[in-house]
Amino acid sequence: MKEVRIMHEQPSKHNDTGTATGKGYVYIAGAGPGDPELLTMKAHRVLLEADVILYDDLVSPDLVDQYPAAEKIYTGKRKDSHHFEQDEINQEIVRHALKGKIVVRLKGGDPFIFGRGGEEIDTLRRQGIGYEIIPGITAAHGASAYTEIPLTMRKVSSSVSFCTGHPVSKIQVPDTDTIVYYMVASSVHDVLDMVAAKGRSGDTKVAVVQNATRYNQKTFTGTLDEFRKRERAVYSPALLIIGDNISQFIETSWYSRKKKVLMTGGDSKRYPGTDYIVVNFPCRRVAGADLDAVKATIEGIDDFSMLFFQNKSSVKYFFKYLFENGRDVRHLSHMTICTSGRAAAAELLTYGIIPDCCLEAEGSAGLGLTGLLSKEGLAQQHILLPCSGNVDESVAAELRDAGNRVTPLGVYVHEAQRQEDAVDLEFIDEIYFSSPGCVRNFRTLYGSIPDRIRVTPADDRTAEELQRQFGR
Ligand code: SAH
């Protein structure tokens, strides 16, 4: 007889990794300079395998969020979180590794370029813990590619060096055609003074590239003399590039020509890669239901004749609770199952269910949900409507208007955005709103939308909410 095992708890994925010592394994990996697509395939693979991810300030939370299975530990310097000294980070890596975990230490750029990767492997060697190093695209390479400033160029620059601008006592001026300085947030002037003192001509070209490869990348250019006369400014994170290769820079680099679209949820595939940069404003939906209500509803599931899913999250969290309450798809076989929108239909398929109907609000010539339902002959139903806990009554109302009895069931909540995740709207050309909930979240965080920014609602209900909240 086949043995059936029920797993209540997620086991460590790697109890059987076979490390001879029984210790875990550590990957010291580079995440690249910002654009999440600049992650290597190898780093992506180990992040999928990770039990624990320890990540820095320069690594975007958006990137680590894509690996939901791992425990994440932020080791940067955000105000509301614990400040880790390097020793403490080393200890933390070791602690998890000794528990047999697969640990990914994820750093901005490359771990061996001003990344303190060397110190971390030193500790691992001493502890006899196995490790690998996965290189990343360093900020200098990201900035160079995304601003069209080649670091070497025939007849212009035949050597390049990477230096630090911090601390000021450590600033060096090597004799290379191009010099890239890291960590210059507050020391651009100190560096430039030393470069001039070393005898580089006042006409030497200079560029500061801030937030390289990110949606808010900004480049400032001038000559050595011009920069030295400018007011001191703080640029962070930023690189200072010095050398005549900068004459290749053009204001309209391939990257700056792209339109930046802020996506509040939804499917980024609707914005094709060559024209747009998609900036995520994760309108997070997280599990968060009244568990007693969910249990009672699932126990009484036979009373319903129809299940209606309005989005992907309602599918995802409904099934989470269905399984947790010991039921599966067979308990839904008596019901008509409908979705509004293809994303929810696609999610349903992953549970082995082809919806009886998929009501596509977009492009339905303004029929509205009520019209679509009656077109499909769906009335007199007792509908279970898994939805957000901060209930959006408009769908329930439309289903009722079509002559149905409706029971909304909160299976997730919209989580408020944190202030530090806020996107700088100065760089944004368009905002795509995927649901009324996202419009409200956006309103809470930003208050208003600058007139020059185009807004695109996903459907009629989102358009109405936009009108209500922003008059747009
Ligand atoms: N290991 C990293 C560097 C860490 S030191 C790498 O290889 O890129 C931190 C410095 O890196 C910052 O002060 C800044 O000078 C630079 N930096 C990192 N990301 C950057 C970015 N997106 N744009 C500009 N500079 C960046």
Side-chain angles (χ1 to χ4, degrees), residues 56 103 114 117 293 374 446:
D56 274 350
V103 180
F114 306 120
S374 60
Y446 293 91

Side-chain angles (χ1 to χ4, degrees), residues 125-199:
R125 282 178 188 153
R126 275 190 276 115
Q127 295 277 345
I129 295 167
Y131 61 84
E132 277 174 44
I133 295 128
I134 303 177
I137 293 179
T138 192
H141 291 147
S144 159
Y146 282 49
T147 56
E148 299 188 29
I149 300 174
L151 293 180
T152 67
M153 212 179 147
R154 216 164 70 84
K155 296 189 181 153
V156 181
S157 165
S158 57
S159 55
V160 56
S161 51
F162 294 168
C163 300
T164 177
H166 179 85
V168 174
S169 61
K170 292 258 168 68
I171 297 172
Q172 295 180 17
V173 186
D175 199 10
T176 53
D177 294 324
T178 306
I179 315 180
V180 183
Y181 285 95
Y182 287 68
M183 291 178 271
V184 286
S186 54
S187 61
V188 168
H189 275 74
D190 302 291
V191 174
L192 295 174
D193 289 348
M194 292 192 55
V195 170
K198 195 77 190 259

Side-chain angles (χ1 to χ4, degrees), residues 91-109:
Q91 280 167 22
E92 197 63 7
I93 298 173
V94 167
R95 190 170 74 81
H96 290 285
L98 290 180
K99 284 202 268 179
K101 306 275 180 180
I102 298 290
V103 180
V104 177
R105 170 71 178 126
L106 191 64
K107 293 159 167 293

Side-chain angles (χ1 to χ4, degrees), residues 33 58 108-110 113-115 138-139 182-183 209 211-212 214 237-239:
L58 286 169
D110 178 84
I113 299 279
F114 306 120
T138 192
Y182 287 68
M183 291 178 271
V209 186
N211 289 310
R214 301 179 183 176
L239 292 174

